[in-house]
């Protein structure tokens, strides 16, 4: 099985109603996988129908009970879970010292605790699967200080550390854990939401885009996810793979 | 439609081990592959010699009409010794193959690729280029240098349509690793390198594990992957234990 062929694989993608999550779900269905999509946005149900996913389920990853219920339902619909893609995430742009404590807590709760909750909820199914893989969506911002995205950056760094440790802890259970670190990818709502705050603070987004060469495309980010979930990456574990056009390769 | 259809790839150190596995996998994925090595490959080439590397690249372009992917894979393991006991001659030998060789290969390869609108440079580095391995200081320094070269190409040649990435395997089951196994076991007081590798890496990597990653990175489908350092080590480099 190469990374292009996921036939027979049962895949759960969180934050899948739009943007990168939707594209990841789409690539897995194109590659022959059975896909369940999770999102807090009820639109996930119709989106799942449109792309030929098995099911779309509504749950907010901030709500542990709802998340456990939805992931159990996903496993029932798919007949198990081989691959979990923790994509659900939020960002709030702005200088860190101007961020409310509650907003910073929410960034951590969705990006870090949400990843933890979904992984824990899916663990019993992943343990039973063959060649199980978890792919966490971190960010290039998780690998370097990121002004105006400090909360997000801190949370995405935490996701990388979680990924590394789980790769070791869950090796006996034969579940691989990897993270990907994309740079700005668009068009997505997340990137659109950055334009105004960055411009206001005298840091036009174009400067960042120039440093990464161009805007990333959701399709290529999704291809990387399907690679890491495949047997082609059988010994890739605890890694965080950059896909950032060279943004973090040099100092300027 | 395969991921490397219509691509022409040159692989140094392509006669055996990881290089041979990359050649096989890239062919399977649709590429036309030309291997170079000291002996036993399609082109005889010593990567320490810039003229020989240039000639190899020119031959590929002449015979295949283009060059799209260059894999700087040729390497030596160097001495098993504490860094303070490595002689200058040993140091130079490792640098001349593992670092100068990448410089020559990328320089000749990128010039040829720039003429046809771009391409992909890959270096087979090592996790020891991220953090050094014990008794492998010369090797580790050269691999760190190779990673830095990759990043320089990533930022300097992006406008020419060239991207560069480093593949960083952990312990791989190759002649190169096996040749040093006894020396390493003796020096570190290990009963079995394999048992240690099983513990820290899950299992020994196969050349095919590395080849699958290299072939993936060569694909235009992930053209946004540039200047990255991609480990294939079972989680070894990401953990303290």
């Amino acid at each position: 099985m190469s990374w292009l062929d996921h036939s027979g694989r049962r895949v759960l993608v969180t934050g899948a109603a739009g943007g990168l999550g939707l594209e990841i779900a789409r690539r897995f269905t194109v590659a022959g996988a059975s896909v369940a999509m999770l999102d807090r946005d009820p639109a996930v149900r119709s989106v799942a129908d449109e792309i030929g996913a098995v099911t779309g389920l509504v749950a907010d990853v901030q709500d542990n009970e709802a998340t456990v219920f939805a992931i159990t339902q996903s496993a029932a619909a798919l007949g198990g879970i081989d691959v979990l893609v923790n994509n659900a995430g939020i960002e709030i742009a702005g200088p860190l010292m101007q961020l409310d404590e509650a907003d910073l807590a929410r960034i951590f709760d969705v990006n870090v605790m949400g990843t933890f909750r979904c992984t824990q909820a899916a663990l019993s199914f992943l343990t039973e699967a063959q060649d199980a893989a978890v792919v966490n969506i971190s960010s290039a911002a998780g690998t370097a200080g990121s002004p105006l995205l400090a909360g997000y950056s801190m949370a995405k760094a935490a996701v990388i550390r979680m990924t590394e440790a789980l790769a070791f802890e869950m090796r006996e259970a034969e579940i691989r854990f990897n993270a990907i670190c994309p740079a700005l990818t668009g068009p997505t709502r997340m990137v659109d939401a950055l334009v105004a705050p960055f411009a206001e603070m005298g840091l036009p987004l174009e400067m960042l885009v120039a440093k990464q060469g161009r805007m990333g495309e959701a399709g290529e980010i999704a291809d990387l996810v399907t690679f890491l979930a495949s047997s082609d990456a059988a010994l890739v574990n605890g890694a965080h793979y950059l896909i950032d056009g060279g943004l973090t390769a040099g100092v300027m | 439609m395969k991921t490397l259809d219509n691509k022409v790839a040159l692989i140094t150190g392509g006669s055996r081990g990881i290089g041979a596995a990359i050649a096989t996998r890239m062919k399977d994925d649709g590429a036309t592959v030309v291997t170079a090595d000291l002996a036993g490959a399609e082109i005889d080439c010593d990567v320490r010699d810039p003229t020989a590397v240039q000639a190899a690249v020119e031959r590929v372009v002449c015979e295949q009409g283009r060059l799209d992917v260059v894999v700087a894979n040729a390497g030596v393991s160097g001495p098993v010794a504490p860094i303070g006991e490595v002689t200058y001659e040993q140091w130079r030998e490792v640098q001349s193959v593992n670092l100068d060789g990448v410089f020559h290969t990328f320089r000749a390869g990128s010039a040829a690729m720039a003429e046809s609108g771009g391409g992909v440079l890959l270096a087979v580095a090592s996790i020891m280029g991220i953090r050094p391995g014990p008794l492998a200081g010369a090797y580790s320094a050269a691999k760190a240098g190779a990673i830095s070269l990759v990043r320089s190409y990533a930022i300097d040649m992006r406008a020419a349509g060239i991207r560069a990435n480093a593949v960083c395997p952990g312990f791989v089951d190759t002649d190169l690793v096996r040749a040093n196994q006894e020396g390493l076991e003796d020096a570190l007081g290990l009963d079995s390198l394999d048992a240690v590798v099983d513990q820290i890496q899950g299992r020994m990597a196969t050349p095919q594990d590395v080849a699958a990653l290299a072939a993936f990175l060569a694909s235009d489908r992930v053209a946004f992957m540039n200047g990255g350092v991609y480990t294939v080590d079972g989680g070894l480099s990401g953990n303290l234990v």
Side-chain angles (χ1 to χ4, degrees):
Chain A
M1 189 191 81
S2 92
W3 63 277
L4 292 170
D5 179 11
H6 282 272
S7 46
R9 299 278 270 173
R10 301 157 298 181
V11 180
L12 171 61
V13 183
T14 71
L20 181 58
L22 171 57
E23 192 56 32
I24 292 168
R26 197 197 313 269
R27 294 271 158 151
F28 273 111
T29 58
V30 168
S34 303
V35 176
M37 299 161 71
L38 189 79
D39 206 293
R40 64 178 171 173
D41 181 350
V44 72
R45 295 197 189 97
S46 56
V47 168
D49 276 348
E50 281 164 31
I51 70 162
V54 172
T55 184
L57 292 157
V58 182
D60 188 332
V61 298
Q62 288 190 269
D63 179 344
N64 191 53
E65 204 175 321
T67 298
V68 169
F69 183 69
I71 288 180
T72 306
Q73 278 188 308
S74 300
L78 296 173
I81 300 173
D82 302 297
V83 177
L84 168 65
V85 182
N86 284 309
N87 169 73
I90 58 161
E91 71 186 10
I92 301 171
L96 184 59
M97 287 298 112
Q98 292 175 22
L99 211 56
D100 288 342
E101 188 198 335
D103 281 340
L104 185 59
R106 194 160 70 91
I107 293 172
F108 269 77
D109 197 52
V110 176
N111 295 312
V112 184
M113 296 306 294
T115 297
F116 171 78
R117 286 183 196 111
C118 292
T119 305
Q120 204 170 48
L123 201 62
S124 62
F125 307 109
L126 292 165
T127 304
E128 286 169 21
Q130 299 289 310
D131 305 320
V134 175
V135 182
N136 294 327
I137 309 305
S138 178
S139 167
T143 71
S146 309
L148 311 183
L149 281 174
Y152 179 78
S153 166
M154 291 151 67
K156 290 302 193 183
V159 168
I160 295 174
R161 295 290 95 82
M162 190 194 315
T163 305
E164 291 165 344
L166 286 174
F168 197 96
E169 291 182 2
M170 302 309 298
R171 189 190 276 145
E172 290 296 309
E174 296 183 17
I175 306 170
R176 292 186 298 109
F177 286 80
N178 290 291
I180 68 160
C181 301
L184 293 173
T185 299
T188 61
R189 273 178 304 179
M190 265 178 115
V191 170
D192 291 346
L194 294 179
V195 175
F198 270 63
E200 263 170 42
M201 289 172 277
L203 189 68
L205 216 52
E206 289 79 12
M207 270 174 56
L208 260 182
V209 175
K211 204 179 161 194
Q212 58 185 54
R214 62 171 168 85
M215 201 66 120
E217 290 165 18
E220 55 195 351
I221 314 294
D223 275 342
L224 175 56
V225 174
T226 61
F227 173 78
L228 288 170
S230 79
S231 61
D232 272 338
L235 202 69
V236 180
N237 200 12
H240 58 282
Y241 273 17
L242 282 160
I243 175 160
D244 70 356
L247 172 68
T248 58
V251 293
M252 58 178 282
Chain B
M1 181 69 190
K2 294 179 172 176
T3 50
L4 298 181
D5 277 346
N6 306 315
K7 299 292 183 193
V8 175
L10 171 64
I11 301 166
T12 69
S15 71
R16 62 199 178 116
I18 292 171
I22 293 173
T24 301
R25 177 60 192 254
M26 287 190 175
K27 280 182 205 166
D28 287 348
D29 287 351
T32 301
V33 175
V34 181
T35 56
D37 212 321
L38 288 174
E42 288 148 87
I43 300 177
D44 289 341
C45 177
D46 183 341
V47 296
R48 294 174 298 183
D49 177 359
T51 313
V53 174
Q54 180 66 36
V57 166
E58 280 171 13
R59 193 173 139 190
V60 173
V61 173
C62 180
E63 291 177 1
Q64 307 298 334
R66 55 186 297 115
L67 181 58
D68 306 289
V69 178
V70 170
V71 185
N73 165 73
V76 295
S77 61
V80 180
I83 186 65
E85 293 173 19
V86 173
T87 67
Y88 180 62
E89 288 70 27
Q90 289 173 320
W91 169 267
R92 278 303 327 147
E93 172 62 14
V94 176
Q95 306 312 315
S96 68
V97 180
N98 292 8
L99 182 53
D100 298 357
V102 179
F103 175 80
H104 301 322
T105 305
F106 279 9
R107 189 170 190 277
S110 63
M113 294 192 302
E115 281 179 24
S116 57
V120 182
L121 300 169
L122 294 174
V124 178
S126 165
I127 59 165
M128 293 183 190
I130 302 170
R131 295 207 296 267
L135 311 179
Y139 179 85
S140 302
K143 292 301 190 183
I147 288 171
S148 190
L149 266 182
V150 160
R151 288 179 166 145
S152 289
Y153 268 92
I155 60 178
D156 286 348
M157 300 295 285
R158 187 170 52 202
I162 292 169
R163 60 195 180 88
N165 289 300
V167 175
C168 292
F171 291 92
V172 189
D173 191 0
T174 61
D175 295 347
L176 190 135
V177 167
R178 294 299 180 192
N180 275 355
Q181 179 165 359
E182 213 175 286
L184 203 56
E185 286 169 349
D186 288 349
L188 295 177
L190 309 174
D191 288 337
S192 149
L193 178 66
D194 287 90
V196 172
V197 169
D198 284 352
Q199 193 193 3
I200 60 180
Q201 201 174 269
R203 63 168 167 83
M204 195 67 102
T206 64
Q208 289 72 29
D209 287 321
V210 185
L213 174 58
F216 174 74
L217 290 169
S219 164
D220 287 340
R221 287 184 55 154
V222 285
F224 202 45
M225 295 180 85
N226 185 33
V229 174
Y230 301 105
T231 56
V232 46
D233 69 352
L236 171 56
S237 65
N239 281 288
L240 297 175
V241 291

